[in-house]
Amino acid sequence: MSHRSIFILSLMALLCCLTDGALGQVKFTLSGTIRDAQNGESLIGVTVYAKGAAGTVGVTTNAYGFYSLSLPPGPVTVTISYVGYSPQIMSLTVSASQKLDVQLRDESKELQEVVVSQTRAQDNVQQVGMSVNRLDIKTIKSIPALLGEVDVVRSLMSLPGVASVGEGGVGFNVRGGAADQNLIIQDEANVYNASHLFGFYSVFNPDAVKDVKLFKGGIPAQYGGRLSSVLDVRLKEGNAKKFSVNGGIGLVSSRLTLEGPIVKDKSSFIISGRRSYADLFLKASPTLRENSLYFYDLTAKWNYTINQNNTLYASGYFGKDNFGFGSVFGLNWGNATGTLRWNHVYTPKLFANYTFAYSKYTYNLNFSNGGEFNWAYDIKNYNLKADHTYYLNAKNTISFGAAATSYQFSPGEVSGSGSSPLGSGNSLADQNAIEYAAYLDNEQTISPKLTAQYGFRLSAWNFLGPYTTYQYTGTNGQRKQPMNEQSYGDDQTISTYANLEPRLSLRYQLNANSSIKASYNRTAQYVHLISNTTAGSPLDIWWPTTNNTKPELADQVALGYFKNFGDNRYEASVEGYYKTLTNQVDYIDGANTRLNKHLEGDLLYGQGRAYGMEVYVKKNAGRINGWLSYTLSRTERQIDGINNNEWYRAKYDRTHNLSIVGIYEASKKWTLSANFTYQTGVATTFPSSKYYVQDIAVPQRSDNARNNYRVPAYHRLDLSATLHPNPRADGRPRRGDWTFSLYNAYNRRNAFSVYFQQDEDNPSQTNATRLSIFGSVIPSATYNFHF
């Protein structure tokens, strides 16, 4: 089916919905916001059901806690439920549109079990979305952590279809996609490098995070710009009821969070900061005191409720890593984001959110050994976005909006007296572009058993001057030469691309406890991360779509079966997916990806495919709970000029990926948890022959095969124990707890990479040597406090 046909069918379906709403009986609107009664935080994904003579209708709250229901006149029973909170049931008579704001009380302190999920018990079966995982902060904090630091991104590695790029690597891979094919947003601002300490920690401070949602397929039309996944991180709004302090003191870092009301129940704030302090220990050594190795970040948010129809939000993040050896070498990198948002309720049926977001990622590298060399890089963007949700009737919820994003890429500014590929005092030219998008989406209940979410996203890219372009000619697999130089002036269009991205998700309810779901989505990506390393590094650069580098496209279909059993104490799902990718970027052997004026001469292009099966089983309640996830997959690329133009395994191809998480409430004082991970080793390229130069063996490949071997399989066991001290004499809870953990509990030396070297005792023999980031058990202890 052509894109034009899909576009026309979508408009016809929406027109039918409007006609249905116009011809139906008179209905009134029940709308409002659901919040936590203890701190005033809006609650995401709360289920609101109304049962009356005409039947039962329901909806879930959006990302700002807002809901809207269309109801016929007459008596109804409204049920508001959220796992971990006391449900509210109320009876009322609908005779006019009305606003109903509700505050739910957190009953977790009364529960004798660990809450693993804060979604309604059957949401995984009854909601139309598939290939979506959501982890609440209570769950994230219960998973064993590296060096005692709870991590949002690392917790995602325990979900099906998600794999780590490796210890010491930056990013993660989703369903065969590269690390740059994940859209990572925090309060709707792009995060370009979500890691601290070379990938060991993420930039998200768990004390400031409210909600984490990962879309792997069936991606709603409001999201775009990346091929493989969307990681949507929402920050807390701040306690609107009372002032509170949270924090933690660990072996590597400490954190502190302050939150409270500015005007009670009307305006609140949260400020959260972290810092590691390895550099403080280095100062105790006379030989290391001039070295540095630390990170810090600061997250802040403010909100103000003007009236029941208008709310303002402002949030920001700033973080930085610093790594250096005295005055000889220095490297630092960091992110900065800022978001301004205005929520406006036009009518009880129409909700709007308007956003301005700023994002920047930068790094600096310098050497001072026999000469001064400094290299600075950054990418920044400004984003304007309007999102609307129209609750048309009980059967249709329409979402629509538009966005414009301005990009500036500064791929290299070099200064100093040292040598560089550009010469002293030179820099690569900045690159500028604007990305546009508009979307329309509808979630429709077609019948009691069948629900569909369908729509499209129209995206466009405009690459702008001032810039000098080239065309590159030569043989695929070899460095190409520039020709046909052409200069463009300020804001002059160099190249333009546009793509229609249809989206479709279906859910067929087999019975109350099981369903079948299917989805299709096309996604387009206009920015590309240039990295020819195995796991990525902070020094990788983002490159725009140009006259030579085309936008990447992906088409993914998925089919899944979802079932709950044991009175919803257990849930299980099996999903299969198939994804094709076009305009994929790879590199010639020995490509120069940094400070290269003619970088595009080293780039190669082709196609990709990824397919697999994901199994997920989770126990939601009881003193013992947790989950098992397993992925069987294949990821391949076909690039002209590589591997004789035949298909080869992508460097992040993982045949098997298994994760088991267990959480055990041993007593009121002790909670135990364990996490086991197994992954097939990453694909890598090994030499197939060698030659000698003055009795020195030089490994080489006799062909242009790519990723022809694998490093050994990766597996690891982590253990954790949390001690909750006894309540105080007055009956109130203690203000803190202790968490003890063992990372890599059975001392596995997992291979980060494998390299080859000549045996000193037997020069005719070449040995393969395993390089490991961690080769021992790593214990940690963290004290977490709150008051």
Side-chain angles (χ1 to χ4, degrees):
M1 183 180 294
S2 68
H3 291 163
R4 179 178 295 179
S5 299
I6 295 173
F7 178 78
I8 294 173
L9 288 175
S10 300
L11 289 180
M12 291 176 63
L14 288 176
L15 181 60
C16 290
C17 296
L18 292 170
T19 304
D20 174 71
L23 297 178
Q25 69 178 108
V26 175
K27 292 186 177 182
F28 300 105
T29 302
L30 180 69
S31 62
T33 302
I34 311 298
R35 298 184 181 275
D36 186 309
Q38 185 177 358
N39 54 33
E41 289 274 354
S42 59
L43 298 177
I44 302 172
V46 177
T47 300
V48 183
Y49 267 83
K51 184 177 182 180
T56 301
V57 295
V59 70
T60 58
T61 57
N62 66 9
Y64 303 94
F66 181 82
Y67 75 94
S68 178
L69 283 172
S70 295
L71 302 173
V76 296
T77 299
V78 179
T79 302
I80 302 173
S81 61
Y82 200 38
V83 173
Y85 288 76
S86 300
Q88 287 204 22
I89 302 174
M90 58 196 75
S91 298
L92 53 89
T93 299
V94 178
S95 57
S97 294
Q98 58 183 292
K99 189 173 181 63
L100 179 64
D101 295 333
V102 177
Q103 294 189 357
L104 296 182
R105 294 195 174 277
D106 186 350
E107 61 180 15
S108 60
K109 294 180 181 179
E110 304 170 7
L111 297 178
Q112 299 302 313
E113 56 194 35
V114 178
V115 179
V116 176
S117 175
Q118 286 190 335
T119 54
R120 194 168 59 91
Q122 292 181 324
D123 275 356
N124 61 303
V125 171
Q126 296 184 357
Q127 288 190 351
V128 66
M130 68 177 301
S131 306
V132 180
N133 293 106
R134 183 177 171 197
L135 286 176
D136 63 270
I137 293 303
K138 292 180 182 179
T139 304
I140 292 172
K141 290 185 176 181
S142 67
I143 300 174
L146 170 61
L147 294 172
E149 184 70 25
V150 173
D151 191 83
V152 170
V153 172
R154 190 172 294 276
S155 66
L156 299 175
M157 312 306 175
S158 65
L159 300 176
V162 185
S164 168
V165 297
E167 287 174 330
V170 176
F172 57 96
N173 306 121
V174 176
R175 288 187 171 178
D180 68 314
Q181 293 175 353
N182 305 311
L183 175 64
I184 303 175
I185 52 178
Q186 179 172 268
D187 267 7
E188 304 189 57
N190 288 348
V191 178
Y192 288 100
N193 186 327
S195 70
H196 283 309
L197 289 182
F198 301 97
F200 294 124
Y201 301 117
S202 75
V203 299
F204 305 111
N205 187 335
D207 289 342
V209 171
K210 173 182 179 178
D211 186 75
V212 180
K213 185 179 290 186
L214 178 70
F215 297 87
K216 300 176 294 185
I219 300 174
Q222 73 184 82
Y223 298 105
R226 299 293 188 275
L227 297 190
S228 292
S229 75
V230 177
L231 176 60
D232 190 350
V233 178
R234 301 276 172 166
L235 297 176
K236 292 179 180 178
E237 296 160 10
N239 195 319
K241 304 289 186 180
K242 61 181 180 180
F243 182 79
S244 64
V245 179
N246 297 280
I249 302 172
L251 298 179
V252 173
S253 66
S254 292
R255 61 191 192 279
L256 179 67
T257 299
L258 309 176
E259 57 180 314
I262 300 174
V263 179
K264 189 174 181 179
D265 293 327
K266 193 176 183 70
S267 178
S268 62
F269 75 95
I270 181 171
I271 299 176
S272 188
R274 289 187 301 178
R275 194 191 192 279
S276 65
Y277 29 71
D279 57 312
L280 302 182
F281 295 104
L282 293 177
K283 292 184 182 300
S285 170
T287 58
L288 300 176
R289 62 186 312 160
E290 300 299 325
N291 298 339
S292 60
L293 175 61
Y294 66 91
F295 73 84
Y296 64 87
D297 55 38
L298 179 68
T299 305
K301 189 171 182 178
W302 164 87
N303 72 87
Y304 178 69
T305 302
I306 301 173
N307 53 43
Q308 64 179 4
N309 293 328
N310 295 277
T311 305
L312 299 177
Y313 300 89
S315 59
Y317 168 87
F318 179 77
K320 194 171 185 180
D321 284 69
N322 200 312
F323 177 62
F325 293 103
S327 60
V328 176
F329 168 81
L331 169 64
N332 63 75
W333 68 93
N335 296 273
T337 69
T339 305
L340 296 174
R341 282 178 293 174
W342 171 36
N343 282 181
H344 179 60
V345 180
Y346 283 98
T347 71
K349 287 178 174 287
L350 181 58
F351 178 92
N353 178 63
Y354 301 103
T355 302
F356 169 76
Y358 166 80
S359 300
K360 181 179 181 179
Y361 173 66
T362 183
Y363 61 73
N364 291 272
L365 177 68
N366 62 80
F367 295 94
S368 301
N369 190 12
E372 189 76 21
F373 171 74
N374 299 287
W375 171 24
Y377 164 88
D378 70 69
I379 173 177
K380 56 179 173 283
N381 68 257
Y382 303 87
N383 176 250
L384 281 173
K385 187 170 64 165
D387 298 299
H388 304 82
T389 304
Y390 182 53
Y391 300 87
L392 176 64
N393 53 42
K395 294 184 177 181
N396 296 275
T397 301
I398 300 173
S399 302
F400 60 95
T405 305
S406 171
Y407 292 87
Q408 183 178 31
F409 303 80
S410 299
E413 181 177 340
V414 179
S415 61
S417 58
S419 61
S420 82
L422 304 174
S424 177
N426 293 316
S427 63
L428 295 174
D430 288 351
Q431 301 158 319
N432 301 279
I434 300 178
E435 182 179 356
Y436 304 95
Y439 71 90
L440 181 63
D441 185 272
N442 183 37
E443 183 174 336
Q444 180 181 7
T445 302
I446 299 173
S447 72
K449 289 183 175 292
L450 182 61
T451 302
Q453 184 174 357
Y454 53 90
F456 57 87
R457 181 181 182 88
L458 181 62
S459 61
W461 177 266
N462 197 10
F463 183 48
L464 301 171
Y467 197 66
T468 300
T469 65
Y470 300 87
Q471 294 177 342
Y472 293 88
T473 62
T475 304
N476 277 331
Q478 300 178 10
R479 182 167 286 113
K480 297 181 180 180
Q481 300 303 312
M483 59 179 297
N484 298 332
E485 177 180 326
Q486 185 172 353
S487 297
Y488 293 82
D490 290 355
D491 299 321
Q492 187 175 358
T493 297
I494 299 173
S495 57
T496 301
Y497 302 89
N499 288 284
L500 183 63
E501 306 173 40
R503 313 287 172 88
L504 173 65
S505 295
L506 298 170
R507 185 226 68 200
Y508 184 78
Q509 195 79 29
L510 298 174
N511 53 51
N513 296 315
S514 62
S515 64
I516 296 175
K517 300 182 185 183
S519 68
Y520 163 76
N521 58 241
R522 162 166 279 212
T523 48
Q525 179 169 332
Y526 299 96
V527 294
H528 322 273
L529 188 64
I530 304 301
S531 172
N532 60 1
T533 63
T534 302
S537 79
L539 295 179
D540 296 333
I541 68 170
W542 289 88
W543 188 263
T545 290
T546 67
N547 57 306
N548 296 302
T549 305
K550 303 299 187 290
E552 301 177 51
L553 301 174
D555 293 271
Q556 177 178 265
V557 293
L559 179 66
Y561 174 69
F562 299 78
K563 182 176 177 59
N564 285 4
F565 49 94
D567 195 26
N568 291 323
R569 295 171 67 88
Y570 300 88
E571 66 176 75
S573 64
V574 178
E575 293 188 45
Y577 67 90
Y578 189 91
K579 178 163 57 177
T580 60
L581 307 99
T582 58
N583 299 330
Q584 297 302 283
V585 179
D586 214 313
Y587 318 91
I588 65 171
D589 290 340
N592 176 20
T593 60
R594 299 182 177 95
L595 295 177
N596 183 358
K597 180 179 180 181
H598 297 292
L599 171 64
E600 289 181 311
D602 287 4
L603 301 184
L604 301 173
Y605 308 97
Q607 58 185 328
R609 62 191 179 197
Y611 47 92
M613 178 187 70
E614 299 172 357
V615 178
Y616 188 51
V617 180
K618 182 167 70 169
K619 185 174 184 290
N620 290 312
R623 294 179 62 183
I624 299 177
N625 52 56
W627 62 91
L628 177 150
S629 70
Y630 170 71
T631 305
L632 175 67
S633 63
R634 181 85 173 187
T635 304
E636 299 174 311
R637 295 290 184 266
Q638 189 273 311
I639 306 292
D640 292 340
I642 297 177
N643 200 44
N644 298 319
N645 298 338
E646 297 178 354
W647 288 94
Y648 63 94
R649 290 175 294 204
K651 61 184 178 183
Y652 29 82
D653 173 64
R654 308 263 192 168
T655 306
H656 304 284
N657 187 357
L658 172 68
S659 182
I660 303 173
V661 176
I663 305 168
Y664 173 47
E665 187 180 6
S667 66
K668 292 183 179 180
K669 293 184 62 175
W670 286 98
T671 300
L672 310 177
S673 61
N675 176 33
F676 175 76
T677 300
Y678 175 91
Q679 294 180 349
T680 301
V682 297
T684 187
T685 304
F686 285 170
S688 55
S689 61
K690 62 182 177 181
Y691 62 91
Y692 289 88
V693 177
Q694 296 181 348
D695 296 327
I696 299 176
V698 181
Q700 70 168 359
R701 286 184 295 151
S702 58
D703 52 33
N704 67 344
R706 185 72 62 91
N707 299 336
N708 51 353
Y709 290 92
R710 290 188 184 275
V711 301
Y714 181 100
H715 52 88
R716 190 190 76 243
L717 174 67
D718 305 328
L719 302 174
S720 176
T722 300
L723 171 63
H724 312 279
N726 290 326
R728 298 185 300 186
D730 57 8
R732 290 185 296 170
R734 290 284 185 179
R735 300 293 191 178
D737 53 55
W738 285 92
T739 297
F740 309 94
S741 64
L742 291 177
Y743 183 87
N744 194 23
Y746 57 77
N747 199 25
R748 166 74 175 175
R749 289 188 65 248
N750 287 296
F752 176 78
S753 65
V754 175
Y755 62 94
F756 295 85
Q757 59 183 3
Q758 193 171 3
D759 191 302
E760 294 182 358
D761 297 327
N762 184 4
S764 64
Q765 180 177 328
T766 301
N767 298 326
T769 303
R770 175 187 303 191
L771 173 64
S772 299
I773 302 297
F774 295 130
S776 61
V777 179
I778 302 177
S780 65
T782 302
Y783 176 70
N784 300 295
F785 57 87
H786 48 85
F787 55 89

